[in-house]
Amino acid sequence: ITQVGSAAIHLTSCENCILENNIIIQNKPGSFRGIYLPDRGGAEDGRTENVTLRNNSIYVGPQATSFVFGLQLEGQADAGYVIVSNLMALMTDSAQTCCLEQTFRGNPQGPYAVMDYNLCTSLETNLRFNWARAYPSLESWSTTTGLDTHSIQGAPQVISLLADMVDLRPAN
């Protein structure tokens, strides 16, 4: 999925869904969400629960502005989300960036059954980078929530993160 609008994948309701092996590349001005699952308030016809996000790769280039979220996930505390083995390369310093945008009404663990083995990075020059909103680093997020204990905040070992030659295949 390349050069889309403000969200590459936007699910308004999804029960027992698996989103896996997507490659998302975005390098144009504006705000952006790689994968967005909004909270529909638990209505039976709009529930989002038991969602698995696995092996997705999200690249956002230097032209992105305003805000950039790799994953924006909302939901009820018992929603049972499984978020594993995702790569997020948010390579802009012109935007507030978060690997994870989460708003769970004061419960930092939110709707997650499992969240681990993810990798997220941004430019070292991006002073507005957060692992998750209000958590500037993976360490602060993991310590508070107990999630992402095997995840990595750092440069992925891929062929290229250069805006004009993005190649997210493994480097070795």
Side-chain angles (χ1 to χ4, degrees):
I1 302 171
T2 59
Q3 310 300 12
V4 296
S6 63
I9 299 173
H10 180 163
L11 299 175
T12 57
S13 82
C14 188
E15 288 188 72
N16 305 310
C17 295
I18 297 174
L19 283 167
E20 65 182 348
N21 301 324
N22 293 288
I23 298 174
I24 298 167
I25 299 174
Q26 178 83 351
N27 189 26
K28 63 182 193 177
S31 298
F32 183 71
R33 298 169 180 92
I35 299 174
Y36 179 37
L37 284 85
D39 181 7
R40 300 308 238 187
E44 288 303 315
D45 63 346
R47 292 185 63 84
T48 298
E49 61 185 10
N50 300 320
V51 175
T52 298
L53 302 181
R54 177 176 50 225
N55 298 331
N56 296 290
S57 298
I58 301 168
Y59 170 87
V60 179
Q63 291 187 34
T65 55
S66 190
F67 67 83
V68 170
F69 303 133
L71 306 173
Q72 183 170 354
L73 309 173
E74 303 166 358
Q76 305 300 315
D78 61 349
Y81 293 177
V82 175
I83 314 299
V84 293
S85 301
N86 296 287
L87 163 67
M88 293 161 277
L90 312 177
M91 308 309 288
T92 180
D93 60 5
S94 300
Q96 175 184 345
T97 57
C98 295
C99 309
L100 173 66
E101 162 63 339
Q102 40 72 34
T103 51
F104 304 127
R105 299 179 193 95
N107 175 3
Q109 190 149 1
Y112 306 119
V114 176
M115 177 179 265
D116 213 352
Y117 298 98
N118 297 296
L119 188 150
C120 187
T121 191
S122 188
L123 298 175
E124 288 184 20
T125 54
N126 187 345
L127 302 178
R128 298 181 293 164
F129 171 80
N130 287 283
W131 181 270
R133 184 180 291 262
Y135 298 90
S137 67
L138 169 59
E139 180 181 7
S140 63
W141 168 254
S142 292
T143 300
T144 303
T145 64
L147 300 168
D148 280 311
T149 58
H150 298 96
S151 292
I152 297 171
Q153 181 175 330
Q157 301 300 307
V158 297
I159 293 175
S160 176
L161 289 176
L162 299 174
D164 58 344
M165 338 178 354
V166 176
D167 189 337
L168 300 176
R169 292 177 296 169
N172 40 359

